[in-house]
Amino acid sequence: MEPIVRKATLEDVPVLLEFEQGLIKAERPMDPTIKDGKISYYDVTEFIKNEDSELFVAVLGNEIVASGYAKIKPDRHYLKHTKQGYLGFMFVPEVHRGKGYNKLIMDALINWCKERNIFEIRLDVYDVNHAAIRAYEKVGLKKHLITMRMNLNDTL
């Protein structure tokens, strides 16, 4: 059975909220600044409703096996481009990883941006998330900028 990629619907929101919690659980060990307890990164329904964003899912049979969104954002005035396609919420449950579902989502997101004449694509990824970095490099993204941080409480 081949997966299909489609735009997410409001009926998908309960599964997508589970995906969001899975993403948070995966990222917490990589980011000491994430609050403890139940948090939320996204307003998933806004991605579905807003004309400047799109949330895609990969579906295998009746099961959603991957997600990701693109959002058109204005960029800084001094850059060559005026807008960027910001990608996020790329998530594949552990049982479905390594099967190419993330690439299907990435291809859909990139095509969605191209259809809107958005050619600058950006996303954030933790520098220790080597599997994600490899997946993004496979579709053509390149490392560009590193964000550095320090918590002064840790130096006292």
Side-chain angles (χ1 to χ4, degrees):
M1 177 181 324
E2 290 294 315
I4 62 158
V5 175
R6 63 168 172 78
K7 294 177 180 180
T9 67
L10 293 175
E11 290 77 33
D12 299 325
V13 169
V15 172
L16 294 168
L17 292 175
E18 288 178 27
F19 276 25
E20 180 186 36
Q21 292 307 306
L23 183 61
I24 291 166
K25 181 180 177 184
E27 290 183 347
R28 265 203 169 105
M30 296 181 245
D31 189 341
T33 68
I34 297 174
K35 292 179 183 178
D36 292 331
K38 184 162 177 149
I39 62 163
S40 179
Y41 284 166
Y42 310 115
D43 181 349
V44 174
T45 58
E46 182 64 20
F47 293 145
I48 295 169
K49 292 178 180 180
N50 190 320
E51 67 182 36
D52 285 335
S53 63
E54 196 64 71
L55 177 54
F56 285 94
V57 293
V59 180
L60 188 63
N62 291 323
E63 182 182 8
I64 297 175
V65 296
S67 66
Y69 81 86
K71 181 178 177 98
I72 299 170
K73 296 170 65 171
D75 219 327
R76 293 153 288 180
H77 70 280
Y78 54 83
L79 296 176
K80 293 178 180 178
H81 55 277
T82 57
K83 295 179 181 179
Q84 64 169 271
Y86 182 82
L87 309 185
F89 195 19
M90 264 70 73
F91 183 75
V92 178
E94 202 168 325
V95 67
H96 294 293
R97 292 183 188 156
K99 299 176 183 172
Y101 301 147
N102 186 67
K103 182 177 182 337
L104 295 174
I105 293 290
M106 295 290 294
D107 289 346
L109 296 171
I110 290 167
N111 286 333
W112 183 85
C113 289
K114 283 181 187 176
E115 290 168 2
R116 283 150 187 79
N117 294 315
I118 303 297
F119 298 101
E120 181 68 21
I121 306 297
R122 302 223 176 180
L123 59 78
D124 294 314
V125 60
Y126 291 102
D127 69 333
V128 297
N129 193 345
H130 304 293
I133 291 168
R134 278 191 306 276
Y136 301 143
E137 288 174 338
K138 283 182 185 177
V139 296
L141 280 94
K142 295 180 173 91
K143 294 178 185 175
H144 177 66
L145 182 68
I146 296 172
T147 300
M148 298 181 72
R149 63 167 295 278
M150 171 173 54
N151 183 323
L152 294 178
N153 289 321
D154 296 341
T155 63
L156 299 176

